[in-house]
Amino acid sequence: MAHVIDNPVLTVEHLSMRFGGLLAVDDLSFMAGRQDITALIGPNGAGKTTVFNCITGFYKPTEGCITALHENGEKFLLERMDDFKIPKIAKVARTFQNIRLFGGMTVLENLMVGQHNPLMIASNYTFGGILGLGGYKRAEKEAIEFAKYWMAQAGLMHRADDAAGDLPYGEQRKLEIARAMCTKPKLLCLDEPAAGLNPRESEELNKLLLFIRNEAATGVLLIEHDMNVVMGISDHIVVLDYGKKIADGTPEEIRNDPSVIAAYLGVPDEEVEEVEQEIDEIEEGASS
Amino acid sequence: MTDTVNSPSRAGRHFDIPKIAKDLVVTALIATAIFGSTIAFRTVSASGGLSLELRFAEAFYVIAAVVFGRLLLWIFFWSKAPGQPAVSVPTGLKQGFRAFGAKFGKVFGPAMLLLALVFPFLPTTDRYLLDLSILILTYIMLGWGLNIVVGLAGLLDLGYVAFYAIGAYSYALLAQYFGFSFWMCLPLAGILAAFWGIILGFPVLRLRGDYLAIVTLAFGEIIRVVLLNWYQFTGGPDGLSGIPRPSFFGIPFNRSEGGFADLFGLDYSSIHRIIFMYFLILVLALITNFVTNRLRRLPIGRAWEALREDEIACRSLGLNTTSVKLTAFAIGAMFAGFAGSFFATRQGFISPESFTFIESALILAIVVLGGMGSQVGVVIASIAMIGGFELFREAEQYRMLIFGLAMVVIMIWRPRGLISTRIPSIFLKERKAVSADMVAQGEGH
């Protein structure tokens, strides 16, 4: 049952998160491939966003181990890092369910803030920059070029000098993804990127995510309810229900998984026993 | 509907007589409740104790004025046909205003700078005006410094005057104990104030909103109380006097041989030093402006603004918000430190009385009135506030009343300050101003 990945960029082992009496995530283990789109799905309240917050350092997990692994073999134990060091050092970037843009700043400025850390070093921690040394000017030009590259990919070139808060919803979503990509991540975590998008916009989003996987060689981990997005582009799906993993596999496997269907659709009363039995069998199979 | 027919209607206006009458009665009652007690009865000290003077006529006039004013508002502003704006301005005129505003904005800065440079030599400029403009420039500098903390980083600081005090006392004490010159003390005062900025920054890192405001307010008071009570060191309420005046880079402003006037072949005049002071604070203020504008275009400045917009998003992009906040506090404090040591050398005497909360409030009012984050706004607000304060000096005790009313009116008219648009720090094709509704205000507003 457990989906084994040879070259994971992220490994989550025995993750638990407890809020008082509520066990939001219960002994969750899964892996995300280096150049895979991994989808984390589950009914509302299944604990998906909690898992995200644990991975990106906004929560400290009660138990468990989250490891980011770079191509060069460097390992980062995310549960021990400060939240801002996770994108900075471990190169795991994220977006938010309720979009968090710098609304009063332009699209270009948003993307420049995404490149804060390399620019800060290039400006000799402001001292070189304020004296107008050449190194910073060059770095800034490169940063603008990189921002333009991601603006072009996200189709935001014509809005470069507009305030982010002025953009329509779909473009704000794409800008948030582009901004996260400006941190040059190894793994991009997206919290419901297709929420509130119309079919055309969600088609564009699919293209953008495939581009990120194929061309930018970045792993994607996404939470999503839109099954067109999930089934259409993901390589690997992890299903959560009540904080527990109930299924893990390729989209084809998940589509036909009885426990997933039960969790999403419910089952008629007379079938409950049957389904429970099946789940037990599956769990036994998984544990043996 | 009959009301509409019977009412004396002007073109396109709709008068709802019963509604207006009801409103006027309520207005009269409220005005009576307020002015009936405060104006109609007055205690006067007569021989053998207090006696009551009745002033019903005055009270009646005030109430009548209030009711009449409200009636005028009803007639000219509040009564309108449905779907029509109360006061309609032709579109052409509106666009004309906007175009004028854009052009005006471009030439305003250089024009003000030119005026500032020639101001001391204008024939109309006398000692009083020069002193006043030095005061205004000091507040412009303080406003620009606080603008970094409040306007850019969005951290409400109610104790900014503490850093001004630290700068002033640094210079006074270093000069008194070690005999350091002004030019040596100026950078030291800035560094010491920045250091205290970081000291304040640490405890407030985790605070948000009102709590941030309260702690910064307390910090300002702590510094003042320490200065007031550490008698052996700071002179307590007596203050420090005999603070050395600045020299023209080593050449003193006095009558002696080798003094400024003697060396440059001028007749000695006490105004030389004042003019020098004027240019000194002008240069200091311009440095503040230059550095702030430069910082805004650097990653640190963008990080400040990003922090004001959304702290959590900042952390998700790998920004260390601790150092972003501390640098904002430190650099804001540093400019207050410079301004403080200038204040000390100008006055020649300092005491804790110059650094009360009202000063912090005044500087904050300048920043908020000017429009948070706007450099030009601070200049306009400083001139309006400090200059306006002087203008109404003759109004004596009504000065604060007039001033308070003016502030209220301006804040109703322009809730986000005089210049509320934000200018982006970088652009690809065109620098478009960002309207105030988009820009977040940060913590504690």
Side-chain angles (χ1 to χ4, degrees):
Chain A
M1 179 67 197
H3 196 81
V4 179
I5 286 159
D6 308 329
N7 185 13
V9 64
L10 180 82
T11 315
V12 175
E13 292 161 290
H14 305 290
L15 177 72
S16 292
M17 182 74 211
R18 185 182 285 281
F19 297 105
L22 175 77
L23 194 57
V25 180
D26 185 5
D27 195 24
L28 172 72
S29 302
F30 71 92
M31 288 178 183
R34 184 165 303 285
Q35 278 203 46
D36 280 352
I37 295 179
T38 307
L40 195 58
I41 64 169
N44 286 329
K48 305 180 296 287
T49 300
T50 308
V51 172
F52 254 49
N53 283 339
C54 288
I55 292 171
T56 51
F58 283 82
Y59 293 157
K60 291 281 160 248
T62 318
E63 271 175 56
C65 194
I66 307 165
T67 320
L69 191 67
H70 289 186
E71 298 101 324
N72 58 11
E74 273 184 288
K75 263 188 178 180
F76 299 93
L77 296 176
L78 301 188
E79 81 278 4
R80 296 188 188 169
M81 293 172 83
D82 284 332
D83 53 2
F84 75 90
K85 283 189 180 154
I86 288 174
K88 188 179 174 181
I89 299 168
K91 296 287 173 198
V92 176
R94 75 168 292 177
T95 66
F96 296 87
Q97 194 170 348
N98 45 342
I99 305 173
R100 284 184 177 275
L101 286 173
F102 306 127
M105 301 172 85
T106 65
V107 169
L108 179 61
E109 282 179 306
N110 268 273
L111 298 180
M112 294 298 276
V113 175
Q115 303 177 66
H116 176 79
N117 287 317
L119 281 175
M120 203 66 186
I121 293 165
S123 71
N124 305 104
Y125 296 93
T126 307
F127 293 107
I130 208 151
L131 298 172
L133 298 186
Y136 173 67
K137 277 184 190 150
R138 212 172 327 118
E140 193 183 35
K141 270 207 186 93
E142 281 167 23
I144 293 172
E145 286 307 313
F146 192 66
K148 272 162 108 175
Y149 173 78
W150 278 109
M151 265 190 269
Q153 296 314 325
L156 293 169
M157 216 44 189
H158 60 295
R159 304 303 298 258
D161 296 324
D162 288 329
D166 262 339
L167 300 185
Y169 191 78
E171 292 187 342
Q172 291 197 358
R173 281 267 175 224
K174 284 192 284 187
L175 174 58
E176 206 189 13
I177 294 171
R179 190 182 65 180
M181 285 311 292
C182 278
T183 65
K184 300 190 175 132
K186 307 280 181 201
L187 176 71
L188 178 66
C189 301
L190 305 172
D191 198 344
E192 298 201 23
L197 300 189
N198 64 34
R200 192 178 53 81
E201 287 172 330
S202 99
E203 193 52 43
E204 285 172 7
L205 176 77
N206 281 1
K207 272 191 202 138
L208 180 61
L209 294 185
L210 288 172
F211 178 85
I212 287 170
R213 182 190 68 180
N214 300 335
E215 307 299 320
T218 302
V220 177
L221 177 66
L222 60 95
I223 292 177
E224 194 45 76
H225 285 299
D226 185 337
M227 283 303 144
N228 284 331
V229 174
V230 172
M231 293 299 169
I233 61 168
S234 36
D235 304 295
H236 167 202
I237 297 176
V238 177
V239 191
L240 286 187
D241 194 17
Y242 294 110
K244 282 188 180 156
K245 185 167 85 174
I246 57 171
D248 188 346
T250 61
E252 202 49 46
E253 287 165 15
I254 297 298
R255 207 190 298 268
N256 302 320
D257 192 305
S259 54
V260 175
I261 296 166
Y264 265 91
L265 302 177
V267 285
D269 285 346
E270 61 267 28
E271 285 179 31
V272 168
E273 259 176 53
E274 199 183 315
V275 172
E276 277 177 351
Q277 203 181 343
E278 268 178 53
I279 293 172
D280 285 344
E281 278 167 24
I282 290 162
E283 278 180 351
E284 272 165 34
S287 59
S288 63
Chain B
M1 289 309 285
T2 47
D3 296 326
T4 335
V5 180
N6 296 337
S7 65
S9 79
R10 280 160 41 126
R13 294 202 182 270
H14 170 92
F15 291 98
D16 187 354
I17 298 289
K19 191 176 157 197
I20 295 173
K22 206 187 281 171
D23 180 77
L24 291 183
V25 169
V26 172
T27 307
L29 285 175
I30 293 173
T32 311
I34 296 171
F35 300 114
S37 52
T38 52
I39 294 182
F41 304 103
R42 183 179 186 220
T43 51
V44 284
S45 42
S47 53
L50 282 174
S51 73
L52 207 59
E53 185 192 297
L54 298 175
R55 300 190 297 177
F56 290 121
E58 282 91 336
F60 176 76
Y61 293 142
V62 172
I63 295 163
V66 170
V67 173
F68 184 69
R70 201 156 167 100
L71 183 66
L72 287 183
L73 280 176
W74 273 114
I75 292 173
F76 292 108
F77 289 102
W78 294 341
S79 301
K80 52 170 185 176
Q84 268 188 352
V87 183
S88 61
V89 180
T91 352
L93 200 63
K94 254 187 200 166
Q95 276 168 351
F97 265 128
R98 205 163 295 154
F100 173 74
K103 253 184 223 158
F104 181 70
K106 253 181 212 143
V107 296
F108 183 75
M112 285 300 277
L113 186 60
L114 203 67
L115 179 68
L117 284 174
V118 299
F119 181 75
F121 307 114
L122 293 178
T124 49
T125 307
D126 56 2
R127 171 79 196 258
Y128 167 74
L129 271 181
L130 213 49
D131 270 333
L132 180 60
S133 42
I134 288 174
L135 191 67
I136 291 175
L137 278 169
T138 313
Y139 278 99
I140 289 176
M141 181 169 176
L142 287 168
W144 277 339
L146 186 61
N147 213 359
I148 293 175
V149 186
V150 178
L152 295 184
L155 302 160
L156 184 59
D157 186 350
L158 291 180
Y160 192 64
V161 78
F163 306 118
Y164 188 40
I166 287 164
Y169 272 86
S170 299
Y171 171 50
L173 292 169
L174 284 170
Q176 191 180 340
Y177 285 91
F178 301 106
F180 285 5
S181 74
F182 175 73
W183 296 104
M184 257 169 95
C185 289
L186 188 67
L188 284 176
I191 289 167
L192 279 169
F195 169 73
W196 280 98
I198 292 172
I199 299 276
L200 166 67
F202 271 110
V204 304
L205 279 175
R206 285 169 201 288
L207 300 178
R208 283 161 191 281
D210 305 345
Y211 305 100
L212 176 72
I214 292 167
V215 173
T216 53
L217 173 70
F219 179 79
E221 285 302 290
I222 289 169
I223 296 289
R224 193 178 64 84
V225 170
V226 167
L227 292 177
L228 202 58
N229 288 291
W230 198 355
Y231 193 80
Q232 300 90 319
F233 187 57
T234 65
D238 302 345
L240 292 165
S241 55
I243 299 167
R245 300 299 192 139
S247 53
F248 186 76
F249 307 101
I251 306 161
F253 288 96
N254 56 18
R255 251 176 232 283
S256 69
E257 238 173 79
F260 178 81
D262 181 45
L263 215 66
F264 287 83
L266 301 165
D267 290 330
Y268 173 78
S269 161
S270 62
I271 201 103
H272 291 161
R273 201 185 63 223
I274 311 291
I275 292 177
F276 176 68
M277 289 281 200
Y278 174 85
F279 280 110
L280 180 60
I281 187 66
L282 183 64
V283 167
L284 284 174
L286 287 178
I287 288 173
T288 311
N289 184 35
F290 174 78
V291 171
T292 311
N293 275 337
R294 188 113 203 182
L295 285 173
R296 266 198 73 202
R297 286 170 179 74
L298 287 173
I300 184 75
R302 286 198 203 106
W304 288 338
E305 294 203 73
L307 179 77
R308 176 194 66 206
E309 298 287 326
D310 194 325
E311 187 175 343
I312 290 175
C314 279
R315 296 184 78 82
S316 84
L317 293 171
L319 273 70
N320 183 351
T321 48
T322 304
S323 61
V324 173
K325 282 182 190 178
L326 289 182
T327 48
F329 271 119
I331 292 175
M334 182 179 78
F335 289 123
F338 290 150
S341 63
F342 172 82
F343 176 76
T345 191
R346 182 177 91 104
Q347 299 289 63
F349 165 77
I350 50 169
S351 78
E353 248 174 64
S354 310
F355 308 106
T356 50
F357 170 68
I358 198 78
E359 290 292 310
S360 287
L362 186 59
I363 303 164
L364 187 68
I366 286 171
V367 173
V368 174
L369 188 70
M372 285 197 295
S374 165
Q375 298 289 90
V376 177
V378 166
V379 176
I380 299 172
S382 295
I383 295 172
M385 299 264 307
I386 310 299
F389 222 65
E390 285 298 314
L391 211 62
F392 289 112
R393 190 169 277 286
E394 274 145 46
E396 289 172 5
Q397 68 260 51
Y398 297 107
R399 186 160 71 147
M400 281 311 230
L401 187 72
I402 295 168
F403 218 66
L405 269 177
M407 287 281 289
V408 169
V409 169
I410 289 174
M411 287 335 269
I412 290 171
W413 171 52
R414 306 218 69 156
R416 296 292 295 262
L418 294 172
I419 298 190
S420 49
T421 50
R422 175 182 173 272
I423 306 297
S425 63
I426 192 170
F427 63 100
L428 270 193
K429 293 188 198 76
E430 182 191 358
R431 200 186 285 278
K432 295 181 195 164
V434 177
S435 88
D437 338 325
M438 295 298 149
V439 181
Q441 299 193 19
E443 294 296 337
H445 299 283

